[in-house]
Amino acid sequence: MAHPVRTEAADLPDEAPHILVVDDDRRLRELLARYLAEQGFRVTAAASAEEARARAQALVFDAMVLDVMMPGENGFDYARSVRETSKVPILMLTARSNPNDRVMGLEIGADDYLPKPFDPRELTLRLNNIINRGPVRPRDADAAPVAFGPFVFRPDRGELRRDGETLRITEREREILSILAQAAGAAVEREHLAGVGGAAAERAIDVQMNRLRRKIEVDPANPSFLQTVRGVGYRLVIH
């Protein structure tokens, strides 16, 4: 089994989107990883659906670039399995020219589709579009804005503002804030925040919380809002 390539430059900001690239073509996989890293993305690359699944158990991604034609479990099958538990944006790559493939990918739940060969600049644009668009959320009239300190979080929009200015947060951070906001200050178990993935997903939650604290807290080591509840999980302190 090939080892997944990870490109996480030290000078990238914490909010840099993390992309999972899945392609059995080693040359293309490594080229994509380097190019996307140069464009400001954090990148993890895997050579198969099996490797991708293992990576997704331990890491949280903001989007996935997925090749259709792979030996063993192909891109369609893997995308179908991803959609059973996740709304992570998926951009599918294919060398095929058959329009039915595009329809199939979109029916499975892919967010966009790019035929090979492609201009890397177009890939970047499409990735940014699906990340910024995010999954479609039903508007909930009962999901009132939640205010804490200088911040206001809108669960219905997945929008975090500080003193009226919108802050950039990842899709996973929106999900975490939504769950904590719904708890209205009560403790939320780490297992609930982590969802599927077991202990590895719980460790990923700790990483995500640390990154979110750096965006919100004056002193992330002594948080005022995103507090740890020992032996339970986390809570959002509203005051």
Side-chain angles (χ1 to χ4, degrees), residues 96-160:
R96 296 180 176 178
S97 58
N98 188 341
N100 290 332
D101 289 341
R102 181 176 183 274
V103 173
M104 181 182 297
L106 296 176
E107 286 178 344
I108 289 170
D111 296 83
D112 205 348
Y113 202 95
L114 189 60
K116 298 177 182 178
F118 54 84
D119 186 327
R121 293 172 298 179
E122 182 178 2
L123 173 66
T124 302
L125 289 172
R126 288 177 180 267
L127 265 179
N128 282 321
N129 284 340
I130 63 175
I131 290 172
N132 292 333
R133 183 169 70 232
V136 177
R137 295 182 183 81
R139 294 300 177 88
D140 185 352
D142 296 328
V146 176
F148 52 102
F151 300 94
V152 176
F153 179 65
R154 292 284 304 268
D156 58 336
R157 298 180 182 176
E159 180 181 82
L160 178 64

Side-chain angles (χ1 to χ4, degrees), residues 35-51:
Y35 177 78
L36 290 174
E38 291 170 357
Q39 302 306 307
F41 295 96
R42 298 179 186 274
V43 184
T44 294
S48 67
E50 180 183 7
E51 285 189 38

Side-chain angles (χ1 to χ4, degrees), residues 13-214:
D14 289 332
E15 64 269 22
H18 194 168
I19 309 299
L20 175 61
V21 174
V22 189
D23 198 308
D24 64 304
D25 184 329
R26 182 182 61 82
R27 180 175 175 275
L28 178 59
R29 187 171 66 247
E30 294 179 354
L31 284 172
L32 283 177
R34 285 197 294 270
Y35 177 78
L36 290 174
E38 291 170 357
Q39 302 306 307
F41 295 96
R42 298 179 186 274
V43 184
T44 294
S48 67
E50 180 183 7
E51 285 189 38
R53 189 171 285 108
R55 293 298 93 204
Q57 287 180 348
L59 297 169
V60 177
F61 298 101
D62 297 292
M64 181 184 301
V65 177
L66 177 59
D67 184 36
V68 169
M69 296 299 294
M70 296 188 296
E73 185 178 1
N74 64 36
F76 289 137
D77 292 337
Y78 179 54
R80 189 178 289 108
S81 71
V82 168
R83 279 292 172 261
E84 292 177 358
T85 58
S86 173
K87 295 181 180 178
V88 61
I90 298 175
L91 173 62
M92 302 199 76
L93 302 177
T94 183
R96 296 180 176 178
S97 58
N98 188 341
N100 290 332
D101 289 341
R102 181 176 183 274
V103 173
M104 181 182 297
L106 296 176
E107 286 178 344
I108 289 170
D111 296 83
D112 205 348
Y113 202 95
L114 189 60
K116 298 177 182 178
F118 54 84
D119 186 327
R121 293 172 298 179
E122 182 178 2
L123 173 66
T124 302
L125 289 172
R126 288 177 180 267
L127 265 179
N128 282 321
N129 284 340
I130 63 175
I131 290 172
N132 292 333
R133 183 169 70 232
V136 177
R137 295 182 183 81
R139 294 300 177 88
D140 185 352
D142 296 328
V146 176
F148 52 102
F151 300 94
V152 176
F153 179 65
R154 292 284 304 268
D156 58 336
R157 298 180 182 176
E159 180 181 82
L160 178 64
R161 287 178 170 264
R162 176 174 182 165
D163 297 327
E165 181 180 351
T166 301
L167 299 182
R168 190 188 186 289
I169 56 176
T170 67
E171 186 58 37
R172 191 68 180 98
E173 289 165 348
R174 290 188 185 97
E175 293 176 1
I176 292 170
L177 279 176
S178 293
I179 294 171
L180 293 173
Q182 289 173 8
V188 178
E189 294 182 351
R190 292 169 76 247
E191 294 88 343
H192 181 50
L193 288 168
V196 298
E202 290 183 41
R203 289 193 294 272
I205 279 294
D206 296 335
V207 173
Q208 291 294 318
M209 289 299 294
N210 288 335
R211 290 179 176 175
L212 194 51
R213 280 172 172 164
R214 288 198 287 268

